[in-house]
Amino acid sequence: MATPLGKWTLALDGGAAPERSLIGGKAWSLARMRELDLPVPPAFVVTTQACTEFLKSGSEPPELAAELAAGIAWLEAQTGRSFGHGSKPLLVSVRSGASISMPGMMDTVLNLGINAATEAALAAECGDAAFARDTHRRFEELYRSIVLRGDPGEVPEAAPSQLQAAVRAVFDSWNSRRAKRYRQHNNIPDDLGTAVTVQAMVFGNLDANSGTGVLFTRNPLDGTPEPYGEYLARAQGEDVVSGKFTPKPLEEMRKTVPQALEALLAAARTLEHEHRDVQDIEFTVQQSKLWLLQSRAAKRAAPAALRIAVDLVNEERIDKATALSRVTPEQLASLTNPCLEDPDNGGKPPLAAGESACPGVGIGMVVTDSDEAEKRAAAGEHVVLARPTTSPEDLHGMIAAKAIITEQGGSTSHAAVVSRSLGRPCVVGCGDGSLTALKGRVVTVCGATGRIHDGPLPVMRPSEVNDFRLAQFMEWKRVAEQKN
């Protein structure tokens, strides 16, 4: 069992992982990976019970400040670094983590612990003043937007004060508009609360042999049993999920960090075998060394959900009952939803094209504002949400839209991950400025081909006769229903 640091905190020290309901999915995955002897930066967790206490009383438990200090002392001992001072500064990430996955809904602060003194120490240690300055800039931007929430107040220099305020901000994010809307859409209870994971930072933006990325152990679009993912050199994790940068395919790692890639692929096999399900793995490479930051059951498009469920049964990894539970009624319905009669549209060039992030067909008027998308959809209109890139603040518009299209980002960006969770057709990375001119036009979005066509196009319904996996799954479903 993870070691208690007090009433509200636990050190993730490689012991058996506590209940997910207590430490949240993020910390549970870290504890499980450390238990499997995989490379994980040291971390401790503030439990969901502390959050529910905060939500009830409106303030942190009185013991929490001292327990945070104890957690930091444990991280210092694990890393040989000092928090907020010294020649080898310790910086940490502060991340939310509910017991039920809510990707992109709550807040994260990176590089916490940096101030004028630790920036100078970091610059001296790594010999790169520009890196240290950029690390400080990134921290201040996140802190101002998440903790200060646009308030012009000063960012504290004292690292313990930064940490206490960031933990409070993560607790507060549980009741943000986007988080509540996501829970409502997915029937997640409001009283679960979020844990807070405090983890030693590793830096994907340190040098040319550093980077960050996301790997799916199988393709989350169609279920092909091959690793699928993206890598962004000289970057931190938020750069990938923000969609502001377009990452490269995983194979790009082979050019600069081949040993890290091989270690990642080996870890992916271990984690899929352990969990008996396709995994979504976040990772960072620092100076050619691999670090794993999270592994969770991957959000997947409906065709992938079907194929993965059936394939895992045929591989004798899961039983049929488990397979039936892995495809939601909404996903099953979408598998028989209309698709384009002619995906090439008679050879006519599309209005725009990008990378497929979630298959399916969506037809509607292009709107570029999430509030407008929600308003028009509530009035009965079919809309397609077009954004430069999406953020958690766009969730209500994404739910309202028939399809989502973005100018920036790749297949592991916020838009891509959330669209798969919602089952919305999605095309990302269409190019800067490519979608602005489409505002007010009715378009057809083909998530399978990554194309946006002019006007409404003819559609057809697929049949299970032409899909042996769908036929196999439906037969299992019929047998199970007869037994019940």
Side-chain angles (χ1 to χ4, degrees), residues 9-39:
T9 55
L10 295 166
L12 304 179
D13 57 4
E19 289 294 322
R20 187 188 296 260
S21 60
L22 178 65
I23 65 172
K26 167 76 176 175
W28 187 89
S29 80
L30 294 176
R32 193 70 191 95
M33 287 191 293
R34 189 154 185 182
E35 196 179 348
L36 293 168
D37 203 28
L38 294 171

Side-chain angles (χ1 to χ4, degrees), residues 5-154:
L5 296 166
K7 182 178 180 180
W8 308 105
T9 55
L10 295 166
L12 304 179
D13 57 4
E19 289 294 322
R20 187 188 296 260
S21 60
L22 178 65
I23 65 172
K26 167 76 176 175
W28 187 89
S29 80
L30 294 176
R32 193 70 191 95
M33 287 191 293
R34 189 154 185 182
E35 196 179 348
L36 293 168
D37 203 28
L38 294 171
V40 177
F44 71 92
V45 61
V46 183
T47 66
T48 56
Q49 291 175 345
C51 180
T52 54
E53 180 69 18
F54 171 85
L55 295 173
K56 275 191 244 174
S57 66
S59 61
E60 298 90 338
E63 307 92 343
L64 188 57
E67 291 188 26
L68 290 175
I72 288 295
W74 183 79
L75 287 182
E76 289 177 325
Q78 293 285 303
T79 61
R81 293 181 166 273
S82 301
F83 187 58
H85 61 89
S87 60
K88 295 179 66 178
L90 169 68
L91 305 185
V92 300
S93 63
V94 179
R95 299 177 185 269
S96 62
S99 58
I100 298 175
S101 179
M102 295 173 58
M105 290 306 110
M106 290 178 292
D107 290 327
T108 294
V109 180
L110 302 179
N111 305 322
L112 189 143
I114 198 163
N115 52 33
T118 52
E119 179 187 334
L122 191 62
E125 181 185 9
C126 66
D128 189 344
F131 162 74
R133 187 165 53 250
D134 183 59
T135 300
H136 200 165
R137 174 193 63 80
R138 287 169 179 265
F139 164 69
E140 290 214 346
E141 286 181 358
L142 282 169
Y143 193 93
R144 289 185 185 282
S145 65
I146 291 171
V147 181
L148 298 180
R149 300 194 181 279
D151 189 290
E154 292 297 315

Side-chain angles (χ1 to χ4, degrees), residues 324 473-484:
L324 291 173
F473 186 89
M474 294 305 292
E475 177 59 23
W476 296 343
K477 187 172 183 293
R478 283 188 284 267
V479 169
E481 288 171 346
Q482 288 170 2
K483 287 181 179 178
N484 294 331

